Amino acid sequence: MTDHAEEQEMEAEALEAIFDTHFAVQSPTAEGRPQWTVDIYPETASDPDELQELNHVAIQLHITLPETYPDEALPILQVNILKGLAPDPHGDDLLVAAQEEAAANEGLPCIYAIAERLREWLAENNRPGLDDISMHAQMMRKQREQELQQVRIQDAYRLECIGWPTNCQRYLCGKDPILLT
């Protein structure tokens, strides 16, 4: 029989070593379930002022662990926006990404993998103004996304024209092209 509490304790120690002051063990729920929080920034810095200057976006991942985590249950996740993002749609996008990563690592300690996936998302979106929910700002973001998509389409077409087959679907979704041989 697996000792889930011991596994959870070991994962908490590892996360504390990795995230230092950005990781915290919270008081357990009324049912006695462990709760943790991880503050996630796209860029790291030891100086708090530098951290704020480098990062336009930040979140806090709140984790509640079921009794049988990690072997039989997924963590219960919540994303709280700390800086620079609008709750809708960014908070929802981040929560979906976190849940997908948890499901992909089912049966394993997965909090670090979840935090890293969210950090990557934040790094890709580390720019000011994402918390502006005005109609104009939304329109400008959508226009920028359409322009980037058009550039990706043109690049994929160019690569195919010069004889480099690519996985266009992956490239058009904003990922690096995978060259097929």
Side-chain angles (χ1 to χ4, degrees):
M1 181 174 200
T2 304
D3 184 6
H4 299 290
E6 185 178 335
E7 282 188 60
Q8 293 171 6
E9 211 171 285
M10 288 174 33
E11 186 174 9
E13 288 176 18
L15 292 169
E16 189 170 20
I18 294 167
F19 293 107
D20 194 27
T21 59
H22 299 295
F23 174 79
V25 175
Q26 306 296 319
S27 54
T29 64
E31 297 85 28
R33 295 180 178 176
Q35 295 188 98
W36 305 336
T37 58
V38 182
D39 294 342
I40 304 172
Y41 297 88
E43 303 292 333
T44 58
S46 56
D47 179 33
D49 292 334
E50 186 180 355
L51 188 68
Q52 292 300 319
E53 192 175 306
L54 285 173
N55 297 299
H56 301 287
V57 294
I59 61 168
Q60 182 179 70
L61 178 63
H62 185 271
I63 304 117
T64 303
L65 301 178
E67 186 178 319
T68 57
Y69 170 84
D71 295 331
E72 301 168 20
L74 296 175
I76 300 164
L77 306 169
Q78 181 181 347
V79 174
N80 301 318
I81 294 169
L82 298 177
K83 178 181 178 184
L85 297 170
D88 231 8
H90 302 122
D92 296 338
D93 292 346
L94 287 161
L95 184 58
V96 167
Q99 291 169 337
E100 286 174 355
E101 193 65 32
N105 289 285
E106 188 172 3
L108 301 170
C110 61
I111 304 306
Y112 176 77
I114 294 167
E116 184 58 21
R117 173 130 180 229
L118 296 177
R119 190 204 60 75
E120 289 171 1
W121 189 97
L122 292 172
E124 291 171 6
N125 294 281
N126 189 21
R127 56 186 180 271
L130 291 178
D131 55 348
D132 184 354
I133 58 172
S134 69
M135 193 62 89
H136 175 71
Q138 291 176 21
M139 184 180 69
M140 295 304 292
R141 281 193 294 272
K142 186 172 184 172
Q143 181 180 354
R144 184 172 183 271
E145 288 172 12
Q146 289 172 342
E147 289 169 359
L148 287 173
Q149 182 71 4
Q150 191 62 35
V151 168
R152 288 187 190 114
I153 290 169
Q154 291 169 354
D155 287 348
Y157 178 74
R158 262 189 239 118
L159 288 173
E160 287 184 54
C161 287
I162 60 173
W164 288 11
T166 62
N167 182 335
C168 292
Q169 182 67 26
R170 183 172 167 83
Y171 184 71
L172 294 175
C173 291
K175 305 291 183 188
D176 294 331
I178 298 176
L179 300 177
L180 305 174
T181 56

